[in-house]
Structure formats: C-alpha cells, structure tokens
Amino acid sequence: DVGTVPLNDIEFNHAKSWIKGIEYVAAGIPFIATPVSEYRRLQDEYGIGILAKKTKDWVKHLKRLMPDPDLRTSIAKEQLEAIQPLDVKLGAKKLTEFLEATQ
C-alpha cells in the first residue's frame, strides 16, 4: 500500500496537522503528500513522507513505489523508526518527569 495526502495548497490546508501521515507511518505504509507547511515540517524534522507538488511528481512516486513491495517495506520501517520520538509513551514519561521535578 501507498498512502496519499493530496491537499490543495490553500490557506485552510496550511492549518491542517500531519496526523494523516503519522497514521500511515504507524500502520506501516509509506505515504506521499502535498508539500503544505506541516508535511514539509514532518519531512524536514523527521525525514518522513515523500512530497509531491505537481501531478507528474505524484505519478513518478507512485510508479516507483507501487510495483516494489520491498521498497515500500524498507521505507515503512525507516519511517516508523523515525517517529519514535513522537511516541505517546515517551511524551507521557517526559511530562511525568517534568511534573515531578517541579514539585
């Protein structure tokens, strides 16, 4: 599978979060997204997602990924590892440590 997050580059979509991309990664699915601000940020900060601005870019990435399950699996594993700092358990642990330190 290949996830897609096609968004028009309009003001409304600039306020959307990167949650759909993270959901794909958590499910073990590499994804392609329009490079609106949050998906550029996800790519810049975590190296996650394939960005496609023009139709020809979407087609190119899909043609590369669709016939190659090994490539998709490899990308999915790399991306899952890359989002580990965003894991809720890690965040909860950091919050607990912070709260305990401020008492």
Side-chain angles (χ1 to χ4, degrees):
D1 291 340
V2 176
T4 59
V5 188
L7 299 167
N8 288 325
D9 192 6
I10 59 173
E11 197 68 31
F12 177 79
N13 289 334
H14 294 183
K16 289 194 172 191
S17 75
W18 59 23
I19 190 69
K20 182 55 65 184
I22 296 294
E23 289 172 338
Y24 281 132
V25 172
I29 300 170
F31 71 93
I32 305 167
T34 304
V36 293
S37 57
E38 283 299 292
Y39 284 95
R40 281 195 315 270
R41 183 173 153 233
L42 190 58
Q43 170 67 220
D44 292 345
E45 292 182 20
Y46 297 95
I48 296 171
I50 299 166
L51 302 179
K53 186 171 186 173
K54 298 179 180 181
T55 302
K56 68 179 184 174
D57 300 327
W58 285 89
V59 171
K60 176 183 74 173
H61 295 309
L62 287 167
K63 283 184 174 181
R64 182 173 66 96
L65 294 170
M66 290 304 298
D68 193 340
D70 293 334
L71 176 60
R72 293 193 311 269
T73 299
S74 173
I75 291 170
K77 285 180 182 178
E78 289 173 8
Q79 291 186 352
L80 187 57
E81 187 175 314
I83 66 165
Q84 291 311 302
L86 300 174
D87 188 287
V88 171
K89 291 177 189 173
L90 180 61
K93 181 180 178 206
K94 287 181 180 179
L95 177 59
T96 300
E97 290 170 355
F98 171 78
L99 293 173
E100 289 173 352
T102 59
Q103 291 182 2

